[in-house]
Amino acid sequence: MRARTVTAGPALAVFAAALITLSAQPAAAQPAAALTHAPTSTATLLAPPAIDVNNVKAHLQQLQTIASGNGGNRATGTAGHTASVAYVQQKLQAAGFTVTLQTCTTCNGSAKNVIADWPGGDTNNTYMFGGHLDGVSAGPGINDDGSGTSALLEVALRLAATNPAMAKHVRFGWWAGEEQGLIGSKFYVNSLTSAQRTAIKAYGTFDMIASTNGGYFITGTDAISVKLREYFTSISVPTETSTECCSDDGSFRNAGIPSSLSSTGASYTKTSSQATKWGGTAGSAFDPCYHRACDTYPSNVNTTSLGRYANAIAYAVWNLTTGTAPANDFSVSLSPTAGSVNPGSAVTATVNTATVSGSAQSVSLSASGAPSGVSVGFSPSSVTSGGSSTMTVSTTASAAPGTYTITVTGTGSVTHSATYTLTVNGTGGCTGAGQKLGNAGFESGTTPWTASSGVIAAHTGTGAPRTGTRSAWLLGNGSTSTETLSQTVTLPSGCSSYTLSFYLKITTAETTSTIQYDKLTLQANSTTLQVYSNLNVSGYTLRTFSLSAFAGQTVTIKFTGVEDSSLQTSFVVDDTSLTVA
């Protein structure tokens, strides 16, 4: 937040109007508990997903790490600010935002504004949410304004992950040069045409929303501030209009764009009545570390207000820009989609379901098309969309050889199906049974595996083998990279089981609990058997897959690891086998 004295002018007129609007707000209330869910009593459109404050705090930790590694601050024109821009940019681009880095030629060091547009919605009706990405040179700038930066970033990532229908357009902005006089936001607004300014129906800035002795200040009368107050009323937290100045809302307001400022307070002193209303210490500054070296993570962060404001932002975004709730729907798929079996034996496949819109629902599974002597069972027979079931196709000794199509149907509020091709073998029997992978434990070097350089080796530490002296370690670089491991084998026909197995260990430095940043994809030829990610952390765990669908074929087993630009994830494979019986 920019430190200067409020003077008479348009901003004060808006402050005064907002103060009149708020005069009916309750004078005192007990502080509400930290929010763990979205409100339902006042929602007018979609109820937004809850924002996990731990994810917001993880972004704050990254900003602290950036500052610590770059001279102790993130001031405009420094390496700390440049690294902060890169962090925000990479997260947004990975989530699917259209990101523009606008060079602010009037800022120190020609620093960059980060502008992120979520696809969809009427661009002539745009609602914009922002905060400043720079700090002062005295410290890392965690509350001012890492708090606003991080809350906005996490709301943007949740919007991308949820992907609701968009009625209006939403845009996020992170500004350079705020601490030098709102320079970055002024540069952005001045770059807009008259039509582009008119298209922005409201702008809300979030500057210092985690003050340790804070209150809840919403200054302005635009549509965003209306929704924010509506949200805080729903959780019984009173708000006030701030008399502290200033932030990037001023750049927009001076250009005729309805704007508001949300904050938990800076250097002003909390009054006794405010302490009664919100808790905290009367006679002390809202943020005792304002523009000081002690504005650090985690010591200068109020988790309660940070979580409340993050959820308030989400409430405003969803209720101003998203459409009506989509109908509940799901999908059904099989893995593998085909298999072969000798009469009297059984073969299995996994039935996967996913919620494609709306809410999860109960899905009952059934099968049709099985010939005489063939039966199909599911365990479990009913799943919640997003879950999976094991399909077992059993045959009697009298099952007639041939190829048959079995239709698997999922029935919920709607019905969807997938097909499975079953081959009942003749009486030729199984020849060539046994373990088919060469150098299955990687102890003989790389042959006959094909692997990226350094994947197969006598690793230690994170990549240490489960048994023996060698393993296959994919990724773990902490930078943009792709690594592969594969082997091609020929499978005999006429056997009852074809089982691929291996032990997999997953470790990660990623802090999210919702987003797959780094992935390991397992394929048999072009068929994807499974995708693992940084969300699947575990020690060495046995993974098994049926390859019955590839009986009598030459098949390439391939692991492909893809890592994003930061925070490593390691996938370590050992003790593989492909057993035919």
Side-chain angles (χ1 to χ4, degrees), residues 176-517:
E178 192 271 353
E179 298 290 4
Q180 287 74 50
L182 318 182
I183 300 175
S185 57
K186 290 178 184 177
F187 185 87
Y188 171 75
V189 172
N190 289 339
S191 73
L192 300 176
T193 65
S194 176
Q196 289 170 332
R197 294 182 186 183
T198 301
I200 301 176
K201 302 308 178 186
Y203 169 77
T205 203
F206 299 85
D207 191 350
M208 302 179 64
I209 57 173
S211 302
T212 54
N213 191 40
Y216 294 87
F217 298 101
I218 302 172
T219 304
T221 58
D222 65 307
I224 291 175
S225 67
V226 169
K227 288 300 174 185
L228 294 172
R229 292 189 185 98
E230 185 177 283
Y231 174 82
F232 280 111
T233 297
S234 77
I235 61 170
S236 301
V237 174
T239 60
E240 290 184 7
T241 298
S242 176
T243 56
E244 289 192 89
C245 187
C246 297
S247 194
D248 296 295
D249 56 303
S251 299
F252 287 79
R253 185 181 301 109
N254 292 337
I257 299 171
S259 306
S260 58
L261 165 64
S262 294
S263 173
T264 50
S267 60
Y268 279 26
T269 299
K270 177 175 280 189
T271 67
S272 297
S273 63
Q274 289 171 332
T276 300
K277 183 185 299 183
W278 296 316
T281 304
S284 296
F286 294 112
D287 180 2
C289 287
Y290 174 62
H291 283 189
R292 297 175 59 192
C294 58
D295 186 9
T296 59
Y297 181 84
S299 62
N300 200 46
V301 172
N302 184 323
T303 297
T304 298
S305 64
L306 181 67
R308 286 172 174 169
Y309 256 117
N311 280 281
I313 297 169
Y315 181 81
V317 169
W318 257 256
N319 281 277
L320 289 171
T321 66
T322 61
T324 56
N328 295 342
D329 200 1
F330 65 93
S331 63
V332 175
S333 62
L334 296 167
S335 179
T337 58
S340 61
V341 62
N342 291 329
S345 298
V347 65
T348 62
T350 300
V351 183
N352 296 304
T353 66
T355 302
V356 297
S357 65
S359 302
Q361 60 184 287
S362 178
V363 178
S364 297
L365 301 173
S366 60
S368 60
S372 176
V374 176
S375 61
V376 182
F378 300 94
S379 180
S381 60
S382 180
V383 299
T384 299
S385 56
S388 62
S389 174
T390 299
M391 178 180 73
T392 301
V393 182
S394 303
T395 65
T396 65
S398 61
T403 300
Y404 307 94
T405 298
I406 296 175
T407 300
V408 177
T409 300
T411 303
S413 61
V414 292
T415 298
H416 292 288
S417 61
T419 58
Y420 181 82
T421 302
L422 173 69
T423 299
V424 179
N425 298 319
T427 58
C430 176
T431 59
Q435 205 289 105
K436 298 301 177 182
L437 289 178
N439 189 20
F442 309 109
E443 297 300 312
S444 302
T446 59
T447 304
W449 294 95
T450 300
S452 299
S453 177
V455 166
I456 299 175
H459 298 298
T460 59
T462 299
R466 174 179 173 270
T467 61
T469 61
R470 302 172 72 87
S471 61
W473 182 3
L474 294 96
L475 304 183
N477 303 305
S479 59
T480 302
S481 53
T482 300
E483 295 178 350
T484 60
L485 170 71
S486 65
Q487 186 175 147
T488 301
V489 297
T490 299
L491 302 179
S493 59
C495 301
S496 60
S497 65
Y498 301 77
T499 303
L500 170 67
S501 67
F502 56 91
Y503 283 87
L504 175 63
K505 179 172 72 171
I506 304 173
T507 60
T508 187
E510 296 283 359
T511 57
T512 179
S513 61
T514 59
I515 302 175
Q516 296 179 333
Y517 288 122

Side-chain angles (χ1 to χ4, degrees), residues 120-144:
D122 180 6
T123 55
N124 289 320
N125 286 277
T126 294
Y127 290 86
M128 191 166 184
F129 299 76
H132 67 89
L133 191 50
D134 68 325
V136 295
S137 59
I142 292 303
N143 184 37
D144 185 14

